[in-house]
Amino acid sequence: MIDPPSLEKMIAEFSSLPGIGRKTARRLAYHLLTRSRGRIKPFCESLKEADEKIKTCSVCHAFTEEDPCPLCASREHAKTLCIVEKSSDILPFENAGIHRGLYHVLGGTLSPLDGVGPEELHIPGLIERIRKLNLQEVILALGSSPEAESTALLIDRLLQDLPVKRTRLARGIPMGSDLEFIDEITMLRAFEGRISL
Amino acid sequence: MIDPPSLEKMIAEFSSLPGIGRKTARRLAYHLLTRSRGRIKPFCESLKEADEKIKTCSVCHAFTEEDPCPLCASREHAKTLCIVEKSSDILPFENAGIHRGLYHVLGGTLSPLDGVGPEELHIPGLIERIRKLNLQEVILALGSSPEAESTALLIDRLLQDLPVKRTRLARGIPMGSDLEFIDEITMLRAFEGRISL
């Protein structure tokens, strides 16, 4: 009632973002309207531009503007491939500089109750991709949730007849945390401590 | 380098908001692109709509879509007026249901070094407004920073010849807080302002 309707709507939109409560949403909306009116248009344009330009790489399924993505295009002769859950999980590897190979983004983990099976995660395509590439090693870099564990288990089984070394990240990763937010040292330890399956 | 340019730009825009660090900005951008693509347009539209519709009331300077704002329009015969720093400070009063009078938004506090003087805060207009209204009480509800204190002092002086009661919000211990963690200035104010039982 006190905030005008259009401001109320703007606050509701901010509140719908993860980790943004109502008070924070209100603070952001008032900030934009008070101090950053000039930022509203560029802000919206950046969102729209990303919405239009960002697609997923048809090879590795990472977010990209070009298809294939720059990583797939520049590392086609790489000998290692790292399997991650989501596109945003690639950054910590690249930041730590520990993997100069290929990636494959599953887009989630197996979750039969939500209708997420191997097909939804492009797992058959992944196996096909690995079969065609001349790889030395496939690194399973999934999280530590039960769903991620069973996804890794399935991929490991599907790969066991192929002449490629399978590894997974060492248990340096603390339970329940998101790969996306792991600091570089922890990521390095986990990568160095990877073990044969 | 890893995030595509348009995604990078979107992250930078989110990072420019107050209290949003780079990691949070990245999480928000990835969230919108992964799970809420359909929310991007309505989100932007709500921002643009607010940007177009929200102006400040020519009477009290609060954010509004109509001029005068609904509060000014519906309470023109009120006997009390509450002076606040920013438009967003009105909500806690209205939520608590403790003030059914008028408001006046200064839009900041005096800050000579930043070129914010009485004119920028519409203080002459405020005095004129109070002179014309038939008020019983003016409540100074500014913050407790040195700038807010000196702003309140100036307004108090300018009003002293008018036949209206001047009050300010009490300073003291907030509800639910532990005395152990109260800062010294708050403790001093609370002690000085102690009341007989």
Side-chain angles (χ1 to χ4, degrees), chain B residues 171-186:
Chain B
R171 304 228 189 281
I173 315 290
M175 283 303 288
S177 68
D178 198 320
L179 277 191
E180 194 178 338
F181 302 113
I182 293 294
D183 64 277
E184 289 165 29
I185 304 294
T186 303

Side-chain angles (χ1 to χ4, degrees), chain A residues 6 13 37 39 49 65, chain B residues 6 9 13 39 54 65:
Chain A
S6 58
E13 288 292 344
R37 282 249 168 163
R39 300 300 311 154
E49 195 190 326
E65 290 180 11
Chain B
S6 58
K9 223 190 281 176
E13 288 291 344
R39 300 302 310 154
I54 300 288
E65 289 180 12

Side-chain angles (χ1 to χ4, degrees), chain B residues 11-184:
Chain B
I11 294 171
E13 288 291 344
F14 269 114
S15 306
S16 74
L17 295 174
I20 307 279
R22 197 167 155 87
K23 286 199 173 182
T24 305
R26 197 162 178 269
R27 190 163 52 88
L28 294 175
Y30 269 95
H31 170 86
L32 280 173
L33 289 170
T34 310
R35 289 175 209 223
S36 299
R37 282 247 169 166
R39 300 302 310 154
I40 293 179
K41 269 183 193 159
F43 182 80
C44 288
E45 272 153 28
S46 77
L47 263 70
K48 274 190 183 168
E49 195 190 325
D51 189 22
E52 281 158 20
K53 288 191 180 171
I54 300 288
K55 49 199 171 196
T56 50
C57 174
S58 61
V59 182
C60 74
H61 306 288
F63 279 150
T64 179
E65 289 180 12
E66 302 129 58
D67 193 14
C69 73
L71 286 180
C72 282
S74 65
R75 298 183 185 173
E76 50 180 336
H77 302 300
K79 296 286 176 209
T80 53
L81 182 143
C82 186
I83 302 171
V84 294
E85 277 177 46
K86 8 183 235 309
S87 200
S88 53
D89 290 342
I90 293 174
L91 192 71
F93 287 95
E94 291 296 311
N95 278 351
I98 44 180
H99 174 70
R100 289 287 172 240
L102 299 165
Y103 292 92
H104 195 91
V105 177
L106 295 177
T109 49
L110 290 174
S111 178
L113 288 179
D114 301 319
V116 181
E119 295 286 343
E120 283 68 32
L121 301 180
H122 320 290
I123 289 176
L126 166 66
I127 307 302
E128 203 48 48
R129 190 182 168 202
I130 294 171
R131 202 183 292 275
K132 281 180 190 158
L133 289 165
N134 184 20
L135 295 174
Q136 281 165 1
E137 184 180 347
V138 170
I139 303 146
L140 279 159
L142 307 186
S144 52
S145 65
E147 293 80 11
E149 299 272 9
S150 66
T151 308
L153 202 67
L154 173 73
I155 294 171
D156 184 49
R157 276 199 199 137
L158 291 170
L159 290 178
Q160 66 191 357
D161 295 331
L162 297 183
V164 63
K165 189 175 164 190
R166 285 131 34 217
T167 57
R168 64 158 177 75
L169 293 187
R171 304 228 189 281
I173 315 290
M175 283 303 288
S177 68
D178 198 320
L179 277 191
E180 194 178 338
F181 302 113
I182 293 294
D183 64 277
E184 289 165 29

Side-chain angles (χ1 to χ4, degrees), chain A residues 107-129:
Chain A
T109 49
L110 290 173
S111 179
L113 290 178
D114 301 317
V116 181
E119 294 288 343
E120 282 68 33
L121 300 180
H122 321 289
I123 289 176
L126 165 68
I127 307 303
E128 204 48 48
R129 189 181 169 203

